[in-house]
Amino acid sequence: MSGPLLRAENLRVGFPDGGTWVYPVRGVSFEIGPGEIVGLVGESGSGKTLTALSCSRLVGPPARVSADALGLGDVDLLRASEETLRALRGRRIAMIPQDPLTSLHPSLTIGAQINDALADHGVPRGERRRRVLEVMERVGLPDPPGTLRRYPHELSGGTRQRAIIGLALANAPSLLIADEPTTALDAMIQAQILHLLADLRASWQMSILLISHNLAVVAGVCDRLLVMYAGRIVESGPTAHVLAEPMHPYTRALLDAVPRLESTRRPHGIPGAPPTPWNRPPGCAYHPRCGYRVERCQGEDPPGAPVRPGRLAACWVSQAQGALPVIGTVSPRGASAEPAHRSPGPTADPLFEVTGVTRHFTVGPAWKREVIHALDDVNLRVHRGESLGIVGESGSGKSTLVRLLALLDRPTRGRISYAGEDLAQLRGARLLRFRRRVQIVFQDPYSSLDPRYTVADTIREALVTHRICPPGEEGAHIREVLDKVGLSTHFAGRYPHELSGGQRQRVCIARALAVRPEVLLADEPVSALDVSIQAQILELFEQLRRQERLTLVVVAHDLALIRQVSDRVVTLYLGKVVEEARADVYAVRPRHPYTFALSRSVPSVDRVGELPPVLVRAEPPSAARPPAGCRFHTRCFNAQPRCSRDEPPLDGDDGHRCACFYPVADAQYASLAPPAVDARAGR
């Protein structure tokens, strides 16, 4: 094919709103060549997914899709019949949706779903079994014959993601649209998925449109970047050039918000919030949040225009000057030039003491019961005034530990004390006092807020329950706590569905802070948020630690984020603490092979075209049947026969403890640490 595989010119998607139309996607133009990976990045609500759905003609009435040109090869997608589109979908263009669990049919096995996809496109019955097994092996699924017989709910998150990629690849499409394929995945699974996408391009010459809000993800695998804001492409160009020298203030702000594992410099959030299609400001849609704006930006919307060879930017400043000047603390690479401001350090006074804590769950019917080893013999201290980070893969026991600390669950064995008091003995007024002193922020802010309560009602309920202020004075306290988390008072009358993800999370934090707690437990507080909102939440945590002397316990699978917010980091694996160290040591010199593999699986926005190495490929063992000896030995690159027999103790000095007989040697830091995988190999 001599021309582009996919071409969109002046693509517009509108929805009726009363007597007028609003356009979440307005004038989007781009091309994807054969064998090319193009990244589409931007905050939630910028129009990324709607653009991708329009390219597959999956946006139906009452929406209206128009374009000067929208074609897949020689097919005009705007004028194609429904029969033609059905033949194209899956065969020439396929899509990986964002949430694999809700996108896979819950009552059909994985094998049946892939078989149906092949049957829909006329693959003979005798060939389907071979093709199904072939595609399962291609995407690296463990035990393909066994996985074919399983249902979606029986698979881990990484296996489900591979299964839905296999479903999309079943008919060998020429274009794959991947919508946030690594969001909410653990670092090692994320690295494996990125390697898989790079391999598909190299071996099948497949074109990929990769949608993500994570610039580090697209940096490693994409040839070109499209940056989207308020329904428009505001910057485009080769990935290396866009990330090294952004030409639009929004791109630079996104880079400035990215946390870096290898750096102590503080990420900065973008002030304000993206506009909705209903309240888009006049002129440049980004100008209310922009530090570069000039008078012209408020009245005229800049078109996308060349600023360098192969570079387009919709910015009056960069078009006039040929570059964006460096202002404030922002560096050309997007990192903050100022070091992170560390809050006052922890005291020697332990607030939480976890001693020999075990938590087992019994699941399954009576004739097939299994015991899930969520936590086994965990010993841990949380000091007053510190920020403790907890990391590990899904199923490692992170959330279980946080729920035990919050007294939302009780251990099977062991003891947890808070300020010297045994939590198991708390009753009545003492228990209520503990509830006020220790607050929790859950992972999903939408499901943890009552949809029938306004923001003010939600906070007022906490104030009344814990008798924080006299009756009738709740309004002033609500305004004070909203201001503390960066929300104006007009949010008080809104319901959860009227708020963005970042705003909902701030409301959850405000509810927790309203009762003046001593400890804030945050379980994956930013995993589903844009990097700009993540940076705002991190800044808020740091501010609260300085002003309120809060003790923080933060659970996250983003190791770069944990580095920025924590004083000390604990690594959990299959219910066991395998390493504990200061955050700076954890980032650069981890000792346990599992922690080392986790830290080296983190993609970096500063390593364009390089994918992180995959040092551990196998799936974690079942928590119902944990291995004997060291639980990581079945996946460990340093494992020796002793590891399968004996369990290593957690010991060490200088605040760095590690449970490993054969920790990472100095030579391995040099041989395994530098990522050297070229994602563009085969081009």
Side-chain angles (χ1 to χ4, degrees), residues 576-637:
K576 289 278 190 179
V577 175
V578 297
E579 188 161 9
E580 178 185 335
R582 297 195 319 269
D584 55 343
V585 174
Y586 169 86
V588 296
R589 298 293 285 182
R591 295 176 186 169
H592 197 282
Y594 175 63
T595 308
F596 181 85
L598 273 179
S599 64
R600 281 4 180 213
S601 298
V602 178
S604 173
V605 74
D606 297 320
R607 295 193 292 266
V608 177
E610 293 181 349
L611 290 176
V614 178
L615 303 178
V616 177
R617 291 186 178 274
E619 292 282 316
S622 169
R625 294 173 295 279
C630 173
R631 294 190 175 182
F632 187 59
H633 82 266
T634 58
R635 307 169 71 196
C636 182
F637 51 81

Side-chain angles (χ1 to χ4, degrees), residues 173-455:
S174 52
L175 174 65
L176 181 66
I177 299 175
D179 188 3
E180 300 276 9
T182 63
T183 295
L185 293 182
D186 302 316
M188 288 194 286
I189 301 299
Q190 175 178 261
Q192 293 176 32
I193 297 300
L194 293 178
H195 277 265
L196 173 60
L197 294 178
D199 179 61
L200 290 173
R201 184 263 291 280
S203 57
W204 289 14
Q205 281 297 293
M206 180 180 292
S207 300
I208 300 174
L209 176 62
L210 176 58
I211 300 172
S212 180
H213 66 260
N214 190 333
L215 286 171
V217 167
V218 298
V221 75
C222 293
D223 303 301
R224 288 190 298 115
L225 280 189
L226 309 173
V227 182
M228 199 165 187
Y229 185 80
R232 290 189 59 199
I233 303 294
V234 296
E235 182 168 2
S236 65
T239 302
H241 296 169
V242 171
L243 296 183
E245 188 182 12
M247 292 291 179
H248 195 281
Y250 178 60
T251 311
R252 177 168 288 179
L254 285 177
L255 280 167
D256 194 31
V258 175
R260 288 160 167 80
L261 181 64
E262 61 275 11
S263 173
T264 60
R265 292 177 175 178
R266 181 179 59 189
H268 287 284
I270 305 176
T276 67
W278 292 268
N279 68 349
R280 191 177 293 121
C284 173
Y286 185 64
H287 87 261
R289 309 171 73 190
C290 182
Y292 294 87
R293 63 179 179 268
V294 295
E295 185 176 350
R296 189 178 186 184
C297 302
Q298 302 179 41
E300 298 180 56
D301 195 4
V307 289
R308 296 280 176 85
R311 303 281 305 276
L312 295 177
C315 176
W316 293 123
V317 175
S318 60
Q319 290 174 15
Q321 301 185 21
L324 282 180
V326 177
I327 62 173
T329 60
V330 183
S331 74
R333 290 291 298 174
S336 170
E338 61 183 277
H341 178 87
R342 304 307 300 173
S343 296
T347 67
D349 179 20
L351 200 57
F352 275 108
E353 289 191 86
V354 179
T355 307
V357 164
T358 294
R359 182 63 174 108
H360 293 169
F361 297 93
T362 303
V363 297
W367 63 89
K368 191 183 177 182
R369 292 205 180 276
E370 288 187 319
V371 176
I372 303 298
H373 295 248
L375 292 173
D376 273 316
D377 194 25
V378 170
N379 296 282
L380 182 68
R381 285 185 173 185
V382 181
H383 297 278
R384 189 182 299 274
E386 83 168 326
S387 176
L388 177 71
I390 303 177
V391 300
E393 293 173 285
S394 297
S396 62
K398 305 185 302 296
S399 294
T400 300
L401 179 56
V402 168
R403 289 179 63 84
L404 290 174
L405 294 178
L407 204 51
L408 298 178
D409 193 10
R410 296 182 183 271
T412 306
R413 291 190 302 274
R415 181 179 187 271
I416 303 176
S417 66
Y418 176 81
E421 289 189 290
D422 187 350
L423 296 190
Q425 305 302 319
L426 296 185
R427 298 289 188 277
R430 293 168 61 202
L431 177 59
L432 185 63
R433 185 167 60 252
F434 171 82
R435 297 285 187 212
R436 185 194 67 76
R437 295 166 73 182
V438 178
Q439 289 286 304
I440 186 168
V441 177
F442 295 98
Q443 180 173 354
D444 183 0
Y446 192 75
S447 62
S448 59
L449 293 172
D450 192 320
R452 301 166 299 175
Y453 278 21
T454 65
V455 170

